[in-house]
Amino acid sequence: QVHLVESGGGLVQAGDSLRLSCATSGDTICFSNIAWYRQAPGKERELVAALASNNYTYYSPSVKGRVTVSRGDVKNTAALQMNDLKPEDTAVYYCNVEECGSGEDYWGKGTKVTVAS
């Protein structure tokens, strides 16, 4: 069984950086399209950044210039580098991965990021 696990969240100060990671536990899958979403308290889940299999990237206007989505240093992992964090970046961040070939969609349970002003 495949489980996606996010890590790297925490409590930081405004202006700090965090690097979130996404990896599988249990069975391993090939990462095709990768996306990071976030959900702030009382708000809907929103797309933060995406990286397609052809290396096309998308960034939400609210994070563009501060965030970089990438495939991780280890095969079949993903990363989200976040710089100059703002209090409005406070949310639970979720990794979403589409498996190569099958197109099956996987979600992690999220990692919490809290940015203090």
Side-chain angles (χ1 to χ4, degrees):
Q1 201 169 12
V2 176
H3 298 282
L4 281 185
V5 179
E6 302 94 338
S7 61
L11 172 62
V12 297
Q13 297 296 314
D16 285 351
S17 297
L18 276 178
R19 183 177 175 85
L20 306 184
S21 297
C22 174
T24 55
S25 69
D27 294 340
T28 300
I29 59 169
C30 165
F31 285 20
S32 176
N33 298 320
I34 296 163
W36 287 90
Y37 288 77
R38 69 184 180 188
Q39 187 165 19
K43 295 190 176 181
E44 292 188 355
R45 191 173 294 191
E46 62 171 349
L47 176 63
V48 176
L51 173 61
S53 57
N54 64 0
N55 290 326
Y56 171 82
T57 54
Y58 165 83
Y59 295 99
S60 165
S62 62
V63 303
K64 196 167 186 177
R66 302 188 293 118
V67 164
T68 303
V69 58
S70 64
R71 300 184 188 279
D73 295 332
V74 175
K75 189 178 179 181
N76 296 324
T77 62
L80 186 72
Q81 176 68 41
M82 302 191 295
N83 301 322
D84 189 23
L85 283 160
K86 305 177 185 302
E88 52 265 40
D89 294 320
T90 294
V92 177
Y93 285 72
Y94 298 90
C95 177
N96 170 239
V97 170
E98 182 181 303
E99 184 180 11
C100 306
S102 74
E104 193 156 348
D105 213 36
Y106 294 91
W107 287 87
K109 292 186 177 181
T111 185
K112 189 173 182 179
V113 172
T114 303
V115 184
S117 56

